[in-house]
Amino acid sequence: MKTTKIEWTEATWNPSIGCSKVTAGCKNCYAEVMARRLQAMGMPDYEYGFDFRILPERLNQPLNIKKPTKFFVNSMSDLFHEKMPFEFLDKVFETIQKTPQHHYQILTKRENILAKYFETREVPNNVWLGVTVEHSRTKHRIDVLRKIDTKIRFLSIEPLIDDVGTLDLKNIHWVIVGGESGNCARPMNKEWLVNVKTQCEEQKVAFFFKQWGTWGEDGVKRNKKLNGSKFLGREWKEEPQIFDNQYKLVI
Ligand code: SF4
């Protein structure tokens, strides 16, 4: 069931909405732009714009979907936001546990809260945990993620706005890379992208290149659709694959 334009997932589930900026990758936050747009359209959930809110009425949404689906949890927020009560997170994970037919991809820029939450709780088998590493200054998030006992660990290197240098990808299963989009987008240098891809190959990690974004491979600013997602002559859309609830990397 594909109900989102986000290429690396199938659907989104937002039991909370709204957020606040933490690092450079947040500068042109897409969720904020969308939230302000929905507020202007008078959508009741977005009455307070981009302010963080939990939405208990959405907790059961995945229970009503029988078809196995890959959900990106919180495309409009950060599930591990400072204002998120752990009691509410427990309810989110209760829903996740009650729906083993689904997989849940959870991505955060708040690695310390993620680690604190799972200090005393187990990660359900159908959860993929990821952190954003948009800049060399945020690479420490990988070490925090690595220590959490979970089946799939992934990195979102998006928007790639810096040379991330050497990456230790031990026990990381998937890396997604993308350039920034929007009018104020910052360019992604092709060498930075090749550097990440090479290290994924060397360390046998699935590599998914989402898009160039507003700045193309040739360094020219244009519509992101025209810039596409090819480099070195092809697309790169590797993903960890699931067989009988065991994960296998397709490389
Ligand atoms: S953490 Fe994510 S949702 Fe929150 S402000 Fe940053 S980019 Fe936006």
Side-chain angles (χ1 to χ4, degrees):
M1 188 187 69
K2 181 91 179 159
T3 59
T4 171
K5 285 185 187 160
I6 303 171
E7 291 85 345
W8 48 267
T9 194
E10 291 174 336
T12 56
W13 175 38
N14 286 285
S16 70
I17 56 172
C19 198
S20 45
K21 300 186 179 190
V22 279
T23 48
C26 297
K27 187 175 176 207
N28 300 315
C29 173
Y30 170 81
E32 182 179 21
V33 174
M34 277 303 293
R36 307 244 177 258
R37 199 173 291 165
L38 294 168
Q39 181 184 31
M41 287 162 64
M43 301 292 280
D45 285 344
Y46 290 90
E47 186 185 350
Y48 302 104
F50 197 48
D51 289 357
F52 180 85
R53 289 181 69 188
I54 56 170
L55 296 173
E57 65 276 18
R58 295 189 183 184
L59 274 173
N60 287 339
Q61 284 174 343
L63 298 175
N64 304 323
I65 299 166
K66 299 288 165 245
K67 189 170 189 287
T69 300
K70 239 189 292 169
F71 284 100
F72 173 32
V73 186
N74 276 7
S75 58
M76 294 297 289
S77 181
D78 187 330
L79 196 64
F80 294 94
H81 192 271
E82 296 75 8
K83 290 188 179 163
M84 170 65 87
F86 277 11
E87 297 72 37
F88 189 77
L89 269 185
D90 286 342
K91 289 185 182 154
V92 169
F93 282 97
E94 236 175 76
T95 296
I96 289 175
Q97 264 165 334
K98 277 189 203 157
T99 51
Q101 76 273 27
H102 300 320
H103 287 265
Y104 294 88
Q105 299 162 314
I106 302 175
L107 177 65
T108 186
K109 288 189 179 72
R110 289 162 166 95
E111 70 287 351
N112 291 332
I113 301 178
L114 170 79
K116 190 168 182 352
Y117 181 75
F118 284 116
E119 243 171 42
T120 52
R121 296 162 177 89
E122 282 190 14
V123 183
N125 276 343
N126 52 342
V127 164
W128 307 20
L129 285 183
V131 291
T132 306
V133 185
E134 76 273 26
H135 196 283
S136 55
R137 282 197 296 270
T138 57
K139 282 200 289 186
H140 59 277
R141 289 178 181 150
I142 308 174
D143 292 325
V144 177
L145 175 67
R146 206 186 333 265
K147 287 190 193 130
I148 302 175
D149 187 11
T150 181
K151 281 231 163 78
I152 287 274
R153 295 181 199 86
F154 70 100
L155 308 183
S156 167
I157 305 191
E158 189 189 8
L160 179 54
I161 50 171
D162 182 39
D163 179 4
V164 292
T166 304
L167 292 171
D168 177 0
L169 299 176
K170 188 164 181 245
N171 294 329
I172 301 298
H173 308 97
W174 193 29
V175 170
I176 302 160
V177 183
E180 197 165 33
S181 43
N183 207 28
C184 303
R186 294 157 284 184
M188 175 176 61
N189 186 315
K190 186 174 173 183
E191 283 162 22
W192 304 342
L193 173 62
V194 172
N195 171 44
V196 175
K197 179 190 163 290
T198 305
Q199 293 186 76
C200 286
E201 261 167 24
E202 287 167 357
Q203 299 182 56
K204 304 211 177 323
V205 175
F207 173 77
F208 189 105
F209 179 49
K210 188 176 154 199
Q211 59 172 26
W212 280 97
T214 296
W215 298 87
E217 185 172 9
D218 53 4
V220 174
K221 193 175 184 184
R222 58 169 85 78
N223 183 299
K224 76 169 188 177
K225 279 196 187 135
L226 293 175
N227 286 330
S229 59
K230 277 189 184 165
F231 81 102
L232 303 178
R234 53 165 278 200
E235 294 199 317
W236 304 86
K237 305 284 182 195
E238 295 163 354
E239 286 189 47
Q241 298 289 299
I242 306 148
F243 297 106
D244 299 332
N245 224 19
Q246 297 296 311
Y247 296 93
K248 183 177 173 205
L249 303 187
V250 171
I251 310 243

